[in-house]
Amino acid sequence: MSQFSILYMKNNNTLSITNKLKVLLVETDHEKAQVLQDALKRAYYEIERVSIGGMSLLKQVEQSQPDIIIIDMESPDRDMLESLNRISHAAPKPVVMFSEQEDESTINQLVKSGVSAYVIGGIEKARVKSIVDIAVARFGEYQNLRNELKVTKQKLSSQKNIEKAKLWLMQSRNMNENDAYHFLRKTAMDNSQRVEDVAKNMLAMASMFSKEGVS
């Protein structure tokens, strides 16, 4: 979903975008579909409408490969929740849902399943574009936060392995902390590897030798 790297909210709360975004519109009612299409047709959205008749949302998404999903349905069912949950894990994308369902538990499940914006009540043409714009921008911010968290976890994991490898060298080879780190760094440079990879390999070998009774 490279398009979202160019999406952001400007200071005046308008959306900046350079490419059209493909929208999968799930709507069985022709009049409602027309309202949504009219509200978005002059913006940067390219709409493909489907009715999900005999085909799951998951299958429709696989075929259409949309950037955004807009769904209007009276009451989301279990199949819809399951499809959204799988999409959220496999290929997350902004999902805007219009529905009459006000049950708090259902709304919470939908949010956990990846729905970016949930709108209760009828579709108001004047509000549609801003709702979709904000959902897309929030989704982009959320994805950035997730990516930052992933990088942070990777760094912490890497540092943890390096610290464990240093400790192993200090205990098994009688090195001080500084020498242990320089040994890891030199080994990494000599073998064109990263220090964290050397640390992981060293810990794996130490574990293997420990199981075989070799120290």
Side-chain angles (χ1 to χ4, degrees):
M1 198 173 295
S2 59
Q3 292 94 328
F4 290 105
S5 63
I6 56 172
L7 280 173
Y8 62 93
M9 294 297 287
K10 296 192 291 190
N11 291 335
N12 60 357
N13 288 330
T14 58
L15 194 65
S16 176
I17 186 171
T18 57
N19 292 334
K20 274 190 174 285
L21 298 178
K22 187 174 182 181
V23 177
L24 182 66
L25 171 59
V26 181
E27 174 60 86
T28 56
D29 185 288
H30 177 73
E31 291 186 5
K32 288 184 177 179
Q34 195 60 52
V35 171
L36 289 164
Q37 289 174 304
D38 289 346
L40 299 174
K41 68 180 181 183
R42 293 181 181 174
Y44 23 72
Y45 298 111
E46 181 180 304
I47 299 176
E48 176 186 356
R49 181 193 166 200
V50 297
S51 60
I52 308 292
M55 183 182 291
S56 72
L57 174 64
L58 197 62
K59 193 68 178 176
Q60 292 282 5
V61 170
E62 287 176 355
Q63 288 188 358
S64 302
Q65 295 295 311
D67 299 305
I68 307 166
I69 302 171
I70 299 177
I71 303 168
D72 178 33
M73 63 189 312
E74 187 172 335
S75 181
D77 55 23
R78 182 177 295 276
D79 288 343
M80 178 61 72
L81 280 169
E82 186 175 334
S83 292
L84 289 172
N85 195 44
R86 292 179 65 178
I87 291 167
S88 175
H89 284 87
K93 55 188 86 269
V95 178
V96 177
M97 178 170 286
F98 296 88
S99 177
E100 300 297 330
Q101 178 59 260
E102 299 184 38
D103 177 66
E104 186 176 343
S105 175
T106 301
I107 295 173
N108 287 334
Q109 289 182 60
L110 287 164
V111 171
K112 289 179 180 177
S113 298
V115 172
S116 308
Y118 186 84
V119 183
I120 300 172
I123 298 172
E124 297 179 29
K125 183 178 176 181
R127 295 179 58 210
V128 169
K129 180 178 175 299
S130 61
I131 289 171
V132 176
D133 283 355
I134 291 171
V136 171
R138 284 181 175 169
F139 175 84
E141 289 183 4
Y142 178 67
Q143 291 303 308
N144 287 336
L145 289 174
R146 285 187 63 180
N147 291 336
E148 289 175 7
L149 179 61
K150 183 178 179 181
V151 170
T152 300
K153 285 183 175 178
Q154 287 174 339
K155 286 182 178 177
L156 288 174
S157 177
S158 169
Q159 190 59 38
K160 186 177 179 180
N161 285 326
I162 291 172
E163 293 299 322
K164 288 174 69 175
K166 280 166 47 181
L167 183 61
W168 182 80
L169 287 168
M170 292 163 65
Q171 293 176 340
S172 64
R173 298 294 182 267
N174 294 321
M175 293 181 178
N176 61 40
E177 184 175 0
N178 191 52
D179 289 343
Y181 179 72
H182 282 291
F183 179 82
L184 289 172
R185 191 171 67 172
K186 185 175 186 309
T187 303
M189 292 177 63
D190 291 345
N191 294 280
S192 300
Q193 292 181 312
R194 298 181 303 174
V195 175
E196 64 179 285
D197 292 332
V198 172
K200 288 171 65 176
N201 292 336
M202 188 172 291
L203 291 172
M205 292 190 67
S207 176
M208 182 178 68
F209 288 150
S210 176
K211 291 176 182 175
E212 294 177 354
V214 179
S215 60

